[in-house]
Amino acid sequence: MPLVLVLLAIAALVALPFLSDLYTRPLRNEVVSVAEPGRNQVTRIHVALAVQGSALHDYIESRDTSLVRRFWAAMAEEDSALRALDGLADQMGRPARDRLNDLARQQDRWRAFAERDLVDTSAPSKGRAEAREQVFDDVLDAAARLDSTIDEAVRTKRQRIASAQRTQSRLALALGLIAIAAAFAVAWLGQRLQRATRDAESRRIALEHATEARARFVRGISHDLKNPLNAIDGHAQLLEDEVRGPISSDQRDSITRIRRSVRSVLSLIDDLLELSRVEAGQLAISLARTSLGDVVAETVEEHRAAAEATGHRMRLELAPEIPEVVTDEKRVRQVLGNLLSNAIKYTPGGGSIEIRIATRERHQRERGQWVAVDVRDSGPGIPAHMQESIFGEFARLAEHAARPGSGLGLAIARRIARLLGGDISVSNEADTGSCFTFWLPADARAHAARRGTDRLRGD
Ligand code: ADP
């Protein structure tokens, strides 16, 4: 915005003299080509009238005929000046035209009067001489009024020119000040932007360092925890397998509980490790053309035994034409495995789990073709208000808090899905439990584009 102001002010400063000239030039032209020549003609009329007055007066006194010629020569001079004025009067405005008409009328009266005095050679009466003087004064007055009207017109035009020039200088000053203020604002904003960019960059670096430090810490602590935990599990197994001697059924029961708890802690540590790797951008992704139908079918088969152990029916439905996609097969198995394990774990025994894979379109924001893997179960479903937060770290439904699990599985799965250019969404089918959908882009271009935006989003 200030930059626009600077540019506008500069443009206005450049345009100002032209605009001012556009306004004042016609006025100056009028003064030069109309008003001043008008005044010259009026001066000619004054001079001619003076000559006429004195020639007529002297003629009546002396009857010298050369004075008659002089009179008519002055009259011709005045007529010529009146004609010239007639050509200019319309451009000088209405008052000048009225005064000129008035002068022409008085002039006609004066001419008629003078003509009679030039023809009549008898000695003029005193009354006639007075009347002649009166007519002569009238014509002189008319000429003086025309003169002052033209004078006034010239003055008005000169005033308008001067006022336009004053306005131009004031505007130029104001625009100059605006341009300077806006330039300062641009410089100030530029500095602020630079500072904000530097701050954002140093925050990003600090965050990167913190994430890296946390990943290092998690790796270190995981290592230190996993070693003794594996030792505990190993020794518990020796006891369970009765390598150290026979055990009672109560002892076996306790050992089984110990081993289950140890495995649960070990799996939590694995999840934490995986999450810190994803966050630190250290999760290796190796892309290759993959037959997704086969990968899904194999992963489902790997989970079938676990599903059947809890009495679930598991059904896979493959659409006839699933395109090959560019993706990381190992990560696809990991994400899908998590969704299947959850469906098995959170669906009450004897339920049904359906896996369907097909190419579909997503909502408008995500153009292009997608391969969608639906994992639908007959469990309790995810309440609508939890369907987004369930993907957060350590998020679990209250009713599952007592079950083994860390609340990290979906958080990791979604991040991996996004690293693959896809996503995971969840919806509830009416009365049939939840339906988790694992989306993967069907063509490599969409894949590349999405991976680019994900990196920008810092996912
Ligand atoms: P975990 O299973 O280790 O708790 P997850 O991140 O995989 O962690 O899942 C988070 C929570 O989402 C679970 O604790 C559970 O409450 C809920 N959940 C996940 N999948 C299902 C499902 N298929 N049906 C009902 N609830 C589910």
Side-chain angles (χ1 to χ4, degrees):
M1 175 70 181
L3 191 64
V4 177
L5 257 176
V6 175
L7 294 177
L8 279 178
I10 291 172
L13 269 173
V14 172
L16 199 61
F18 293 104
L19 291 174
S20 160
D21 188 54
L22 225 60
Y23 174 70
T24 55
R25 188 182 301 167
L27 291 173
R28 275 185 275 126
N29 284 350
E30 267 180 48
V31 170
V32 172
S33 64
V34 179
E36 277 170 0
R39 284 175 69 190
N40 292 342
Q41 299 308 329
V42 176
T43 310
R44 271 176 79 197
I45 289 172
H46 275 302
V47 173
L49 278 172
V51 172
Q52 285 167 37
S54 70
L56 184 60
H57 181 268
D58 292 352
Y59 172 73
I60 290 167
E61 296 287 308
S62 66
R63 296 298 168 188
D64 176 357
T65 51
S66 68
L67 292 169
V68 177
R69 278 198 305 280
R70 209 167 148 207
F71 175 88
W72 286 119
M75 188 58 90
E77 168 73 2
E78 188 188 349
D79 282 346
S80 135
L82 277 170
R83 272 197 305 280
L85 267 178
D86 196 51
L88 297 170
D90 286 338
Q91 296 168 62
M92 289 189 292
R94 184 78 221 159
R97 161 60 67 196
D98 289 346
R99 299 277 180 249
L100 182 63
N101 290 345
D102 185 35
L103 174 62
R105 263 195 313 278
Q106 300 301 340
Q107 173 64 16
D108 286 346
R109 272 181 71 215
W110 163 244
R111 184 196 304 264
F113 223 94
E115 255 174 10
R116 264 183 57 204
D117 282 351
L118 288 172
V119 174
D120 186 358
T121 49
S122 61
S125 65
K126 192 168 173 252
R128 175 133 186 103
E130 277 172 8
R132 190 180 60 241
E133 261 172 38
Q134 182 57 52
V135 174
F136 188 61
D137 283 349
D138 287 350
V139 78
L140 283 178
D141 282 352
R145 280 197 298 275
L146 176 63
D147 196 12
S148 70
T149 304
I150 294 175
D151 236 15
E152 179 64 28
V154 173
R155 214 176 15 257
T156 312
K157 287 197 169 72
R158 288 222 166 101
Q159 275 169 359
R160 279 168 65 190
I161 292 169
S163 121
Q165 280 164 347
R166 273 198 304 277
T167 311
Q168 180 194 343
S169 345
R170 280 191 205 124
L171 264 175
L173 185 69
L175 285 170
L177 289 176
I178 290 175
I180 290 169
F184 272 116
V186 168
W188 180 70
L189 283 175
Q191 262 184 358
R192 274 192 60 173
L193 190 70
Q194 258 184 359
R195 210 176 310 134
T197 315
R198 268 201 309 274
D199 288 354
E201 181 59 12
S202 54
R203 271 202 300 277
R204 191 188 64 77
I205 292 170
L207 191 70
E208 247 174 32
H209 286 163
T211 312
E212 174 61 28
R214 196 169 80 164
R216 262 203 314 276
F217 171 75
V218 172
R219 274 200 301 276
I221 199 103
S222 306
H223 189 259
D224 290 350
L225 286 173
K226 276 178 92 173
N227 279 349
L229 281 170
N230 279 323
I232 294 171
D233 191 47
H235 282 285
Q237 190 174 4
L238 288 178
L239 293 175
E240 195 177 31
D241 294 346
E242 298 188 333
V243 175
R244 303 281 190 227
I247 51 170
S248 67
S249 75
D250 281 353
Q251 285 169 331
R252 178 173 299 281
D253 200 36
S254 293
I255 291 168
T256 309
R257 280 166 195 268
I258 291 169
R259 290 201 69 197
R260 200 184 304 136
S261 300
V262 168
R263 274 200 298 275
S264 142
V265 177
L266 280 170
S267 110
L268 170 64
I269 292 169
D270 284 341
D271 282 352
L272 280 171
L273 260 175
E274 188 78 334
L275 186 68
S276 78
R277 259 190 235 115
V278 179
E279 276 183 344
Q282 291 166 346
L283 196 80
I285 297 277
S286 74
L287 299 174
R289 288 214 151 269
T290 308
S291 164
L292 211 52
D294 293 346
V295 174
V296 171
E298 283 164 24
T299 314
V300 168
E301 284 319 308
E302 280 162 20
H303 287 76
R304 190 174 291 283
E308 285 173 359
T310 34
H312 297 320
R313 270 169 294 111
M314 206 174 199
R315 207 163 67 85
L316 169 66
E317 198 181 297
L318 283 172
E321 294 211 348
I322 305 298
E324 278 197 335
V325 295
V326 177
T327 192
D328 183 329
E329 179 184 328
K330 190 173 132 209
R331 298 296 171 195
V332 171
R333 285 178 195 274
Q334 184 181 355
V335 171
L336 187 58
N338 183 274
L339 299 182
L340 290 172
S341 308
N342 279 354
I344 295 167
K345 186 161 60 168
Y346 296 114
T347 302
S352 78
I353 297 164
E354 279 179 23
I355 300 96
R356 192 179 296 167
I357 172 166
T359 49
R360 278 217 298 271
E361 284 190 355
R362 284 182 77 187
H363 43 74
Q364 260 194 336
R365 275 180 293 129
E366 310 287 359
R367 292 176 187 286
Q369 276 291 312
W370 295 79
V371 181
V373 185
D374 295 321
V375 178
R376 182 177 286 113
D377 62 47
S378 60
I382 311 285
H385 70 279
M386 291 289 288
Q387 284 180 1
E388 198 46 45
S389 55
I390 205 73
F391 292 97
E393 291 157 25
F394 304 107
R396 307 193 74 198
L397 296 186
E399 59 264 39
H400 299 142
R403 295 237 187 167
S406 59
L408 288 174
L410 284 177
I412 295 169
R414 179 178 254 188
R415 284 175 192 225
I416 294 174
R418 287 182 172 173
L419 278 176
L420 295 176
D423 205 352
I424 301 179
S425 60
V426 65
S427 62
N428 274 355
E429 306 282 298
D431 301 330
T432 54
S434 55
C435 175
F436 283 85
T437 305
F438 176 17
W439 300 91
L440 280 169
D443 62 66
R445 268 177 307 144
H447 176 269
R450 262 195 69 80
R451 274 176 64 78
T453 46
D454 285 348
R455 225 172 280 129
L456 284 177
R457 282 204 311 243
D459 281 352

